[in-house]
């Protein structure tokens, strides 16, 4: 009997390989950003290295997502991720700096820069009682704590007053392991639901000092293996904790690729810089769906080398969809004023299954 139970225990931990019939709201979403991650650095064989990336890519994903059209640098693209807005244009968030933000009194919030309030995924989640965190390996992410502190965040008009501070915790981590440990601690100690942005900077640090060299064994590849190791521990911890297993969704993307010009990533029209992964893990390993193909009736399907202007309609899948997708996966409404995935129409399950409460027309099983 004991032997039977232990076998059953093992069986229960084998990840399901079938896609869920429909999505139920997740309690926890981790928006993981791997700074400077080029898709061609993780596009290896199924049984190759990078076991965590391989496993995450058993969910819906694309290796041809795009950064912001106009800027392929770190902070503006992270602002796009959490606000689901482009950087430029009339609906853009307008934050183009890529250094530590100035002090609040010198204009160091998103709202002061743009002249009107710029809502984020943290606003929508926190106003509905979700615990929020920014865990980053670069100090410039303090912009989010400054923009959404208890003076500069918006009043909470939704249900119980959760306060103006929309980012409960800002951590500037020194290492990938420190970031991973903090993200795990947030998951394990969350009393209710949680939404965290977790940023791993090491591929970008290596890229700037030695270049984006994707040859096997290169320092850049090793930096991605380091992130993979952290993600592997994250997945193992989720698997091993019945309190969160099946209740955590992960969205993994990047702010930019890199290598053009050498040792940087500033040429926004070069695919080495603008192509990024966009990976969605729905709490269990499922059959890998190519996300662009899955959304071919509502997102642009472009040749990999083709740069897409900001106002292309329909748009390609961009990392800016991540903020609204996080809310979509939690069953929460879209970010006010947002542009990317603003109707929650990004499909993460095959047509005919229920991917969100707000499926746009044009779907159907075909
Ligand atoms: Zn960089």
């Amino acid at each position: 009997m004991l032997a039977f139970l232990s076998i059953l225990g093992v069986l229960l931990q084998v990840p399901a390989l079938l896609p869920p019939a429909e999505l139920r709201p997740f309690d926890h979403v981790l928006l993981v950003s791997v700074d400077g991650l080029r898709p061609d650095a993780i596009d290896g064989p199924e049984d190759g290295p990078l076991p965590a990336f391989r496993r995450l890519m058993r969910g819906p994903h694309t290796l041809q997502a795009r950064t912001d059209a106009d800027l392929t640098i770190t902070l503006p693209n992270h602002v796009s991720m959490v606000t689901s807005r482009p950087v430029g244009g009339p609906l853009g968030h307008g934050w183009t700096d890529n250094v530590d933000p100035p002090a609040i009194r010198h204009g160091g919030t998103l709202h002061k820069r743009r002249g009107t309030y710029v809502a984020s995924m943290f606003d929508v989640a926190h106003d509905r009682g979700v615990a929020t965190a920014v865990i980053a390996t670069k100090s410039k992410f303090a912009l989010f704590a400054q923009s959404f502190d208890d003076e500069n965040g918006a009043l909470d008009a939704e249900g119980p007053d959760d306060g103006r501070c929309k980012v409960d915790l800002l951590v500037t981590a020194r290492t990938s392991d420190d970031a991973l440990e903090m993200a795990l601690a947030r998951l394990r100690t969350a009393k209710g639901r949680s939404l965290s942005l977790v940023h791993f900077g090491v591929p970008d640090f290596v890229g700037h000092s030695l270049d984006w060299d994707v040859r096997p064994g290169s320092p850049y590849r090793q930096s991605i293996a380091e992130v993979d190791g952290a993600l592997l521990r994250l997945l193992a911890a989720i698997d091993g904790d019945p309190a969160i297993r099946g209740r955590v969704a992960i969205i993994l993307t990047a702010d930019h690729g890199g290598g053009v010009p050498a040792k940087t990533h500033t040429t926004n029209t070069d695919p080495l810089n603008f192509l990024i992964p966009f990976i969605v893990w729905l709490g269990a390993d499922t059959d890998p769906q190519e996300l662009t193909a899955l959304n071919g009736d509502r997102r642009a399907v472009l040749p990999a080398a083709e740069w897409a202007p900001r106002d292309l309609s329909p748009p390609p899948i961009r990392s800016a969809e991540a903020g609204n997708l996080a809310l979509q996966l939690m069953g929460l409404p879209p970010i006010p004023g947002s542009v990317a995935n603003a109707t929650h129409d990004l499909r993460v399950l095959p047509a005919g299954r229920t991917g969100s409460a707000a499926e746009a027309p044009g779907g159907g099983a075909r």
Side-chain angles (χ1 to χ4, degrees):
M1 185 62 180
L2 269 179
F4 171 74
L5 282 178
S6 65
I7 291 169
L8 192 64
V10 169
L11 285 177
L12 286 175
Q13 288 187 28
V14 172
L17 283 169
L18 291 171
E22 60 180 51
L23 286 183
R24 61 187 175 84
F26 287 92
D27 290 328
H28 308 279
V29 173
L30 296 176
L31 169 45
V32 176
S33 170
V34 184
D35 203 315
L37 177 63
R38 265 173 46 174
D40 56 345
I42 58 171
D43 191 15
E46 176 65 31
D47 59 351
L50 308 178
F53 280 104
R54 298 314 313 173
R55 194 169 158 203
L56 293 173
M57 284 192 280
R58 283 182 213 135
H61 70 278
T62 178
L63 296 179
Q64 291 193 25
R66 312 296 172 112
T67 63
D68 182 70
D70 302 311
L71 285 180
T72 46
I73 52 177
T74 294
L75 194 52
N77 272 279
H78 282 92
V79 176
S80 289
M81 287 179 210
V82 305
T83 64
S84 289
R85 292 176 185 252
V87 178
L91 300 173
H93 57 71
W95 192 274
T96 56
D97 293 352
N98 193 29
V99 292
D100 287 357
I104 291 173
R105 67 181 182 283
H106 293 134
T109 76
L110 293 171
H111 331 303
K112 289 184 178 183
R113 183 66 57 91
R114 191 169 190 275
T116 55
Y117 193 78
V118 182
S120 69
M121 67 177 190
F122 301 120
D123 290 76
V124 177
H126 194 272
D127 287 356
R128 289 160 180 82
V130 176
T132 55
V134 173
I135 299 162
T137 51
K138 285 181 175 175
S139 55
K140 61 186 81 168
F141 285 71
L143 174 64
F144 298 127
Q146 293 185 186
S147 296
F148 302 110
D149 71 1
D150 52 13
E151 285 183 14
N152 295 288
L155 291 169
D156 177 1
E158 280 303 318
D161 185 5
D162 297 290
R164 299 185 70 153
C165 178
K166 311 302 184 196
V167 176
D168 293 320
L169 176 74
L170 169 74
V171 175
T172 304
R174 285 181 309 114
T175 66
S176 302
D177 278 350
D178 287 353
L180 176 275
E181 289 301 332
M182 190 54 65
L184 258 186
R186 291 292 286 177
L187 277 181
R188 285 176 165 150
T189 60
K191 299 234 174 356
R193 312 176 77 195
S194 74
L195 171 61
S196 298
L197 169 65
V198 186
H199 165 262
F200 294 101
V202 64
D204 187 67
F205 300 145
V206 171
H208 284 294
S209 60
L210 296 165
D211 213 352
W212 272 257
D213 177 359
V214 294
R215 287 174 296 183
S218 72
Y220 175 66
R221 287 273 195 170
Q222 289 171 26
S223 73
I224 292 166
E226 174 185 314
V227 176
D228 189 84
L231 294 173
L232 203 58
R233 285 165 54 207
L234 172 68
L235 291 170
I238 294 170
D239 286 344
D241 187 343
I244 52 175
R245 187 167 59 223
R247 297 166 63 193
V248 183
I250 296 172
I251 304 166
L252 187 147
T253 187
D255 49 354
H256 51 74
V260 185
K263 296 190 181 186
T264 190
H265 43 76
T266 47
T267 305
N268 67 304
T269 51
D270 194 295
L272 292 182
N273 295 341
F274 71 62
L275 281 183
I276 47 170
F278 194 97
I279 301 169
V280 187
W281 186 73
L282 299 170
D285 301 356
T286 56
D287 56 346
Q289 297 281 335
E290 211 292 320
L291 200 58
T292 306
L294 208 54
N295 289 276
D297 61 343
R298 55 196 67 194
R299 296 291 186 276
V301 181
L302 304 170
E306 188 173 324
W307 177 80
R310 181 206 303 148
D311 53 2
L312 186 70
S313 181
I317 293 174
R318 294 192 190 274
S319 53
E321 309 217 19
N324 268 332
L325 178 60
L327 299 172
Q328 182 181 342
L329 294 176
M330 299 185 86
L332 300 175
I335 303 163
S338 62
V339 176
N341 195 22
T343 59
H344 280 177
D345 70 333
L346 186 72
R347 187 188 277 140
V348 295
L349 294 177
R353 296 171 186 269
T354 309
S356 93
E359 277 278 28
R366 280 191 292 270

